[in-house]
Amino acid sequence: MDDDLERELMERLLGEGTSPPEDVANLVYAACQGAQALAEQLATPVTNRPAVSVTQRAALPASALGGTFLESLEVVGFRGVGPAVSLGLSPGPGLTLVVGRNGCAKSSLAEALEALFTAQSARFEGRPKEWATAWRNLHVDEKPRVSATFTTAGHGRLQATRSWAPEGGLADGVLRVTDAQGRVLSADELGWTTSVAEFRPFLSYAELGKIGQEPSKVFDALNVVLGLDAVGEAQARLAAALSPLTSRAKSVKDARAQLTSKLQRLDDPRAKELLGLLTARKPDLDALADTLEAQRSEGGEGDVRVLTQLSRLDTAVVDWAALAATWREALAKKAEVADESSARQASLATLLRDTLAFITDETTSCPVCERPTDGTLRERLTTRAQEATALAGAYKGASAAVDAATRAIQNARAQLPTTALGAASGCLTDEQLAPTREAVDALRTATTPDALELAHLRYAEAVPALTVTARAALEGLDADYRELSRGLGRWLEDARAVADEQDDAKRLKAAREWLKGAETELRDARFAPIEQQVLTLWKSLGAQSDVSLDKLRLVGSGTQRKLALDARVGDKEAAALAVMSQGELSALALALFLPRTALAQSPFRFVVIDDPVQAMDPIRVDGLAKILGDAAETRQVIVLTHDERLPEAVRRMQIPARVLRVDRRGESHVALREQQVAWQAYTDDAWAVARSNMGAELVRRVVPTFCRHALEAAAIMAYRRERLRAGDHPTEVAESVRDAHTLMEVLSLGLFGTADRTGEVFRAVNNRVGRDVGDCVRACKQGAHEPVDDYRALIDNTRQVAAWIAER
């Protein structure tokens, strides 16, 4: 959000009578700062949220591109242009008319410049797919290319080229921009990407005809230059934060309606008690939770769970017979090796091994039996040690097998439904439970395999009967109520979460509504100057129209956005777009377009308009010529037209303009030729007056004046070109021209770049073109105060001097 917008918004946010409650203001401010700031604000408890305050920020630097003028345009292989054609322009304020018949490719030049900046063309919007390939010229094999040279304040000269590969669409062109030093600059770095969208400097023929069909696009074009996108983005962030809260609240509301409907169908006192609490205007969630807990503790939930477990006993089978068999086998094996001497075999084996280790070849008698230690003794001791070791291992293995069988039985006993049988006394009788309980006790206490097998037989006989009894009891319970009570418990959890969120939901709604209102106020305030310019322009363009415009408004949002026009036909209110002729709609489109291009924030000081004289009657053409002339005082205005009435009106109304003729020959060869520049128009007019029969007195006054204007126009053209190329800001250049009041000061600007070298003007001119020719400067300076003997010589000499100055 830029500083100006933040300041205006904060004045409303904190101002007396315009500020919302503090907690709402916090959310508005956080939303304006970004999604992360809003998330952090919502994650902080309300009591801990700091009060909103204006953030002190350094002013943003002014755009480096104070003004961008178009110096030249070269087009190759684009639409109606085949081989390369170049359009040279004077980079500064002024009016240039490019005139040619329909089909001569003049619109191709305008659309090429649009494609250079945007890789798009308004001509193809909404057109059939076949149109998408119509932008390539069919007469050249060369790759399509559009190049332009710009003179800018801040960057000097820029060269921009967009080229296209042999394959690919219009949007696939690659843009390259370089400055005078050859450094590559990006469109983003220059500010072109956003500026083209906000201050679109070209108005195509296609766009002129769409104002009555697409008022929402007119809204978008005007709304974007008001710089309120950040406010819209903040509203979107608030809406995004509110959306999940609203969605969850709706889900809880819908679930409450479903639970209410189900409870109403139950003939159960408990359901009626819950229903009374649930259908209150604002349900007491704590009371609902307490009631539900009390109903559960009175007996119900546990019974269902216990009976369900008992009804499934036959699906949890343990193979007790296999456990008993394994236990019996392990005990028998242990008994085989567990005689009186087997337990001592491990000690004996150790003793014998130690004895064998003690006896060596030098030992004469056994330390145990004191017999001679011959080979027979060692052999007997070794054999006996091995037998003892084997008997000890068998005993140990048998003991381990008994232990494993015992553990398996203990694990199986842990799975017995002991707890469920104990808890089932509230829903089944002792008689129903006794057989299974006794069998379970027998399984738990059996000390022999035979006892375990017998207990298992009793358990296998008792379980089927118990499961049948449990299933019958379960079916007899109020299962619908139980299910509803569980559903109500889940709903309570969700409802509590939503209740915690509702305060923020209300604040978010209030913040969004406040910001929406603030946006409307800001939009109206910022649009007011543009509205006045549009109404003023309409008075000129809509001369003698029955339709009068009283007010313009940007209203609505989303799909309902539009430009609303308060209009009258005579003394009757009317829908302007519906009653305007095509010529009037074109005039309105121009009136809406030009103020946008003239905004100070725009880096573009040029504007390109394609065929604006659509269905205009002569009086409107004159009005258009005047408006274009006024705009050309501060902007470089380039108009392409097939209608000869516009250049004729410009000439007749003595509006300074350069006129170029465009012709298209075979194989898409396009040629441009100069018809006249401003100073040439003045000398042509001077010659027309000199040859007229207006009378000597009038000729004496008018001809020198026209010649003087020609010299001034040539000097101003040269000065603007050189200063803008040097990187001077257009405003500074315009001020210098405006401050040069005399002919000599203006000529000093054109010749020396400064207005304070007037004393050197005559010498510079005479040295270059000769005194005989240069004396025209003195004659123009004297004007009507001294008679001129030879008007033809004055005009011819003025032409030579003006041409030299303009082309220096």
Side-chain angles (χ1 to χ4, degrees):
M1 183 175 293
D2 64 63
D3 288 345
D4 289 339
L5 178 57
E6 183 176 15
R7 184 181 61 255
E8 293 178 52
L9 188 62
M10 295 305 295
E11 287 175 356
R12 287 171 169 77
L13 196 61
L14 300 175
E16 185 176 353
T18 61
S19 62
E22 183 177 301
D23 52 358
V24 174
N26 288 338
L27 291 177
V28 171
Y29 185 71
C32 291
Q33 301 309 303
Q36 182 64 30
L38 180 58
E40 291 174 357
Q41 180 74 197
L42 291 170
T44 304
V46 175
T47 54
N48 295 335
R49 294 176 186 174
V52 65
S53 62
V54 180
T55 300
Q56 298 297 323
R57 298 192 304 180
L60 293 175
S63 171
L65 287 178
T68 300
F69 292 100
L70 182 60
E71 187 170 332
S72 67
L73 175 68
E74 183 179 75
V75 182
V76 179
F78 186 89
R79 297 244 306 110
V81 177
V85 60
S86 296
L87 171 63
L89 298 162
S90 178
L95 175 60
T96 299
L97 301 181
V98 180
V99 185
R101 60 179 173 77
N102 286 329
C104 70
K106 62 183 183 304
S107 292
S108 297
L109 298 175
E111 291 168 13
L113 184 63
E114 178 186 1
L116 173 70
F117 277 97
T118 67
Q120 297 176 355
S121 174
R123 169 183 289 270
F124 303 127
E125 289 184 8
R127 298 290 190 177
K129 184 178 180 180
E130 292 75 12
W131 284 61
T133 58
W135 63 277
R136 290 178 180 270
N137 185 270
L138 303 177
H139 292 132
V140 292
D141 296 330
E142 196 173 347
K143 294 189 300 183
R145 185 183 75 256
V146 180
S147 297
T149 303
F150 299 95
T151 297
T152 68
H155 283 276
R157 230 178 201 180
L158 296 178
Q159 180 71 33
T161 300
R162 189 180 292 275
S163 56
W164 287 266
E167 303 295 334
L170 183 60
D172 299 324
V174 178
L175 177 65
R176 177 183 171 85
V177 185
T178 57
D179 63 11
Q181 288 73 43
R183 292 176 300 184
V184 178
L185 305 172
S186 69
D188 289 338
E189 180 182 353
L190 294 168
W192 284 357
T193 305
T194 55
S195 295
V196 166
E198 295 177 358
F199 310 105
R200 187 175 173 85
F202 13 78
L203 181 64
S204 69
Y205 180 90
E207 292 172 290
L208 273 169
K210 289 182 178 180
I211 182 172
Q213 305 169 17
E214 301 178 354
S216 63
K217 289 193 175 181
V218 181
F219 175 101
D220 294 340
L222 292 171
N223 190 57
V224 72
V225 302
L226 301 181
L228 298 179
D229 286 355
V231 179
E233 291 168 1
Q235 289 187 62
R237 294 185 193 109
L238 291 169
L242 177 61
S243 179
L245 307 188
T246 303
S247 178
R248 285 193 288 271
K250 184 179 184 303
S251 296
V252 166
K253 182 179 179 181
D254 293 344
R256 175 188 173 192
Q258 294 174 6
L259 287 170
T260 298
S261 177
K262 291 178 180 179
L263 287 171
Q264 288 172 338
R265 293 195 296 267
L266 285 181
D267 185 16
D268 187 309
R270 294 168 298 177
K272 296 184 182 303
E273 183 180 16
L274 293 172
L275 184 63
L277 294 170
L278 190 62
T279 54
R281 189 179 66 85
K282 185 178 180 181
D284 186 333
L285 301 183
D286 290 336
L288 263 172
D290 292 343
T291 301
L292 193 60
E293 183 61 29
Q295 290 179 357
R296 288 174 175 173
S297 64
E298 290 173 359
E301 192 70 12
D303 290 351
V304 172
R305 185 172 59 251
V306 168
L307 289 174
T308 300
Q309 185 176 352
L310 294 179
S311 69
R312 296 171 180 170
L313 286 180
D314 55 357
T315 63
V317 177
V318 174
D319 193 349
W320 292 96
L323 290 175
T326 301
W327 190 20
R328 180 180 292 108
E329 182 180 352
L331 289 173
K333 187 66 175 176
K334 183 176 181 181
E336 289 177 5
V337 297
D339 56 18
E340 182 178 352
S341 61
S342 294
R344 301 175 58 200
Q345 295 305 310
S347 297
L348 178 59
T350 300
L351 176 62
L352 292 173
R353 283 195 297 271
D354 290 343
T355 300
L356 285 170
F358 179 80
I359 296 175
T360 64
D361 293 340
E362 291 78 15
T363 305
T364 57
S365 61
C366 174
V368 179
C369 63
E370 297 182 350
R371 294 179 182 178
T373 56
D374 55 10
T376 303
L377 177 61
R378 289 183 61 83
E379 183 179 346
R380 286 199 310 273
L381 290 175
T382 298
T383 300
R384 188 70 186 92
Q386 291 173 346
E387 290 174 354
T389 299
L391 289 173
Y395 182 80
K396 184 177 181 181
S399 298
V402 172
D403 291 342
T406 303
R407 285 195 300 273
I409 292 170
Q410 292 300 326
N411 291 337
R413 285 170 172 168
Q415 300 178 42
L416 290 169
T418 307
T419 302
L421 290 169
S425 58
C427 49
L428 296 177
T429 65
D430 289 340
E431 183 179 358
Q432 293 170 324
L433 294 169
T436 306
R437 281 178 175 171
E438 292 170 359
V440 167
D441 288 340
L443 286 171
R444 291 176 62 245
T445 59
T447 56
T448 65
D450 292 340
L452 189 64
E453 283 187 339
L454 180 60
H456 170 238
L457 292 174
R458 294 175 60 188
Y459 182 75
E461 182 180 356
V463 162
L466 179 60
T467 56
V468 171
T469 301
R471 288 169 186 167
L474 189 61
E475 291 176 1
L477 287 179
D478 43 354
D480 289 341
Y481 167 78
R482 306 291 179 182
E483 182 62 31
L484 271 177
S485 68
R486 286 192 291 272
L488 188 57
R490 292 190 295 271
W491 179 87
L492 273 170
E493 294 179 6
D494 294 340
R496 288 186 188 280
V498 166
D500 292 340
E501 296 172 343
Q502 285 313 290
D503 286 342
D504 270 341
K506 291 177 182 178
R507 295 185 186 97
L508 285 167
K509 289 178 183 177
R512 187 178 61 176
E513 289 303 312
W514 185 91
L515 197 55
K516 183 178 180 181
E519 180 187 31
T520 300
E521 294 173 2
L522 289 169
R523 187 168 62 194
D524 291 346
R526 291 191 171 194
F527 184 58
I530 296 179
E531 177 194 18
Q532 289 306 312
Q533 293 181 55
V534 172
L535 295 177
T536 300
L537 290 175
W538 172 252
K539 288 180 181 178
S540 297
L541 288 172
Q544 298 185 0
S545 173
D546 290 335
V547 180
S548 61
L549 291 180
D550 297 328
K551 190 170 182 60
L552 290 80
R553 291 168 293 119
L554 297 175
V555 299
S557 60
T559 58
Q560 302 301 314
R561 68 194 188 284
K562 66 177 181 178
L563 171 68
L565 305 171
D566 293 347
R568 287 178 292 109
V569 177
D571 59 351
K572 301 292 185 182
E573 294 183 357
L577 297 179
V579 299
M580 285 183 178
S581 67
Q582 186 57 51
E584 289 170 330
L585 287 173
S586 297
L588 178 60
L590 281 165
L592 291 168
F593 172 74
L594 288 173
R596 178 160 50 110
T597 64
L599 290 173
Q601 305 96 300
S602 172
F604 304 116
R605 294 298 186 266
F606 68 87
V607 55
V608 179
I609 306 173
D610 186 21
D611 246 344
V613 197
Q614 295 187 56
M616 287 187 179
D617 52 37
I619 190 66
R620 288 194 178 85
V621 175
D622 284 359
L624 173 62
K626 182 180 184 307
I627 286 172
L628 294 175
D630 292 342
E633 293 182 3
T634 58
R635 288 290 189 278
Q636 181 185 26
V637 181
I638 304 160
V639 180
L640 301 99
T641 180
H642 73 282
D643 197 317
E644 294 289 345
R645 293 178 300 167
L646 182 58
E648 188 279 328
V650 166
R651 175 74 177 271
R652 173 169 39 81
M653 299 171 69
Q654 298 183 1
I655 297 172
R658 181 188 181 199
V659 180
L660 297 171
R661 290 283 173 178
V662 57
D663 295 305
R664 183 169 181 257
R665 305 183 181 94
E667 301 298 315
S668 298
H669 284 268
V670 177
L672 289 164
R673 57 185 174 85
E674 186 115 12
Q675 178 170 317
Q676 61 176 190
V677 293
W679 67 263
Q680 290 174 324
Y682 283 122
T683 56
D684 287 351
D685 289 341
W687 182 242
V689 171
R691 296 179 59 188
S692 71
N693 55 2
M694 292 182 179
E697 180 63 21
L698 186 59
V699 171
R700 183 178 70 82
R701 291 179 178 277
V702 173
V703 170
T705 301
F706 275 141
C707 289
R708 172 178 175 150
H709 289 333
L711 293 176
E712 289 177 337
I716 291 171
M717 178 188 299
Y719 176 73
R720 281 176 172 163
R721 180 183 64 242
E722 296 306 315
R723 298 323 306 160
L724 290 171
R725 281 180 177 175
D728 288 359
H729 196 284
T731 302
E732 297 174 358
V733 176
E735 289 175 352
S736 297
V737 172
R738 186 170 59 249
D739 292 341
H741 301 294
T742 68
L743 171 62
M744 303 307 288
E745 289 176 344
V746 174
L747 290 175
S748 179
L749 282 179
L751 293 172
F752 310 116
T754 176
D756 57 7
R757 295 174 63 179
T758 57
E760 303 174 46
V761 170
F762 286 132
R763 183 169 62 254
V765 173
N766 292 338
N767 288 342
R768 180 63 180 84
V769 299
R771 184 179 181 84
D772 292 342
V773 175
D775 273 348
C776 71
V777 176
R778 193 180 306 278
C780 291
K781 181 176 181 293
Q782 295 299 325
H785 299 294
E786 292 185 7
V788 176
D789 296 329
D790 188 347
Y791 290 112
R792 178 167 187 159
L794 173 62
I795 296 169
D796 288 344
N797 292 342
T798 299
R799 282 174 174 163
Q800 291 186 56
V801 174
W804 169 66
I805 294 174
E807 295 171 3
R808 290 181 72 250

